[in-house]
Amino acid sequence: MESTDLTHYKALVAKLPQLRKEIGKVIIGQEDAIGEVLISLLAGGHCLLEGVPGLAKTLMVKTMSDALAMRFKRIQFTPDLMPGDIVGTEILEDDLETGHKVFVFNQGPIFANVVLADEINRTPPKTQAAMLEAMQEYKVTYGGKNYPLPKPFLIIATQNPIEQAGTYPLPEAQLDRFLLYIKLSYPGELEELNVLKSTTGTARPELKTILSDEDIIQLQKLTREVHISDELISYINKLVRATRPDGSPSSFVKQWCQWGAGPRAGQALVLCSKARAVLNERFSVIPEDIQSLAYPILRHRIALNFRAEAEGITTDKVIKQLLTELRLA
């Protein structure tokens, strides 16, 4: 990397703490979740947010897009939502030059930089699957034509962990497309007190634009250039392979897991560790990056058996056990 490029990248990276501070004007607490959403953006992936109602999931995403000056669209997923409501549809219009009727593709709300798929588990699998091509290929195919999505592109889906009637759990193949599975918890006592004080008056914080679309694209490029040692890549490989009951060195995994994470989990762990390094203004991955991100990357890629569910064993407990058993030399 040339010195001029390094200076430019350092200036961009120095804006990331400002970005978090700007988001913090509106979102009180939830610092880990905000950091993980930004990691997903820097790594060029998508994330799934899970939390009970009222934890500011939607507001968090909207605030982040405002601070980044990114085009934001919200899709409210409901049982009657159709694929065309997401990707778009063709409409019949008059061609002013020829006078004939022509079909014109009308782009749906997925054509934005940040797309909030609100309560994604409330729509049937047919509509959920309409997002798969966009998530993987960053384009939409309609009527035999390809329509590229804007860059940068980030889908943030939300879901409610409380089981209710009319929900459709995401299939494993689509869950695997999400880089991170982020769980939001209730705020602490002081944080909740600050929420009550700051949101029930007339004051409304004004957000500044910290980074542009082009800045994010440059940071995504930088993320892939961050150094990670062969030793840490080998550790990630062992960790991911240890989640699979067949051949796992962990008796805990063999006892409670039905199947484990695939190769995409290892790729995600490498990329997100690099993104976390950038977010913390480093240009090299350290073990802490891997260990902190193992939970949001692996928790939706491990399937427990029926016995585990009956005994209250969670995927987070499996990951914690693996991190304890597999230590860096």
Side-chain angles (χ1 to χ4, degrees):
M1 189 182 295
E2 297 180 4
S3 58
T4 52
D5 291 337
L6 185 60
T7 302
H8 173 66
Y9 283 136
K10 283 184 175 179
L12 287 179
V13 171
K15 291 183 179 181
L16 290 172
Q18 299 176 37
L19 176 62
R20 298 187 70 160
K21 185 177 180 181
E22 204 67 20
I23 296 172
K25 289 181 180 179
V26 178
I27 305 299
I28 298 171
Q30 304 291 5
E31 292 183 5
D32 289 344
I34 292 171
E36 288 170 359
V37 171
L38 292 176
I39 286 169
S40 184
L41 176 64
L42 292 175
H46 313 288
C47 56
L48 179 64
L49 289 178
E50 182 180 275
V52 298
L55 294 183
K57 298 185 291 295
T58 303
L59 183 60
M60 180 191 300
V61 179
K62 180 66 169 65
T63 302
M64 184 193 74
S65 61
D66 288 344
L68 293 172
M70 297 171 74
R71 191 149 57 102
F72 170 80
K73 290 289 185 180
R74 174 184 176 180
I75 307 172
Q76 184 63 52
F77 281 71
T78 56
D80 60 346
L81 194 73
M82 298 296 289
D85 298 325
I86 298 173
V87 300
T89 187
E90 286 185 332
I91 57 175
L92 194 62
E93 291 186 354
D94 291 320
D95 189 326
L96 298 179
E97 293 183 1
T98 64
H100 296 139
K101 298 282 187 181
V102 292
F103 281 102
V104 178
F105 180 65
N106 187 32
Q107 294 182 349
I110 202 167
F111 286 86
N113 297 114
V114 179
V115 178
L116 175 62
D118 214 0
E119 296 186 293
I120 191 172
N121 58 334
R122 290 201 171 277
T123 200
K126 176 182 178 180
T127 307
Q128 291 174 357
M131 302 180 68
L132 276 173
E133 183 184 23
M135 293 175 71
Q136 187 67 27
E137 306 294 337
Y138 294 86
K139 65 181 177 66
V140 167
T141 302
Y142 193 96
K145 293 182 180 179
N146 292 329
Y147 299 90
L149 293 163
K151 294 181 180 180
F153 178 69
L154 171 67
I155 290 178
I156 303 177
T158 69
Q159 67 178 19
N160 186 343
I162 304 172
E163 288 195 17
Q164 295 175 339
T167 58
Y168 304 85
L170 287 169
E172 288 77 8
Q174 189 158 3
L175 276 174
D176 197 34
R177 295 302 197 281
F178 286 102
L179 202 64
L180 299 176
Y181 182 1
I182 303 167
K183 290 190 175 183
L184 276 71
S185 57
Y186 287 111
E189 185 176 355
L190 290 178
E191 291 174 343
E192 192 163 358
L193 182 63
N194 289 332
V195 169
L196 297 179
K197 289 180 179 179
S198 63
T199 60
T200 54
T202 58
R204 292 291 182 270
E206 294 184 6
L207 294 179
K208 298 177 183 177
T209 301
I210 305 300
L211 292 168
S212 67
D213 294 357
E214 185 58 36
D215 290 337
I216 293 297
I217 292 171
Q218 291 294 318
L219 285 168
Q220 288 177 341
K221 178 182 176 184
L222 171 65
T223 296
R224 288 183 171 268
E225 295 180 1
V226 168
H227 174 73
I228 179 170
S229 68
D230 290 341
E231 181 186 10
L232 291 182
I233 292 179
S234 178
Y235 173 70
I236 288 172
N237 191 42
K238 289 179 181 177
L239 179 62
V240 172
R241 291 179 65 83
T243 63
R244 305 165 191 167
D246 293 339
S248 175
S250 172
S251 59
F252 195 85
V253 169
K254 292 179 178 179
Q255 182 179 4
W256 303 113
C257 294
Q258 185 175 359
W259 45 263
R264 190 180 279 121
Q267 294 172 322
L269 201 42
V270 172
L271 271 176
C272 288
S273 296
K274 290 183 175 186
R276 188 178 187 273
V278 172
L279 194 62
N280 287 280
E281 300 181 80
R282 286 183 280 103
F283 295 93
S284 183
V285 174
I286 60 176
E288 183 186 340
D289 296 325
I290 300 168
Q291 290 159 356
S292 66
L293 288 166
Y295 293 95
I297 287 173
L298 295 175
R299 63 166 54 114
H300 57 301
R301 294 181 165 102
I302 298 174
L304 302 175
N305 55 35
F306 290 112
R307 185 183 170 196
E309 294 176 8
E311 294 292 333
I313 302 295
T314 64
T315 54
D316 279 16
K317 287 182 180 179
V318 173
I319 297 165
K320 184 178 181 180
Q321 181 65 27
L322 281 175
L323 290 174
T324 301
E325 294 180 13
L326 299 177
R327 295 183 180 275
L328 282 165

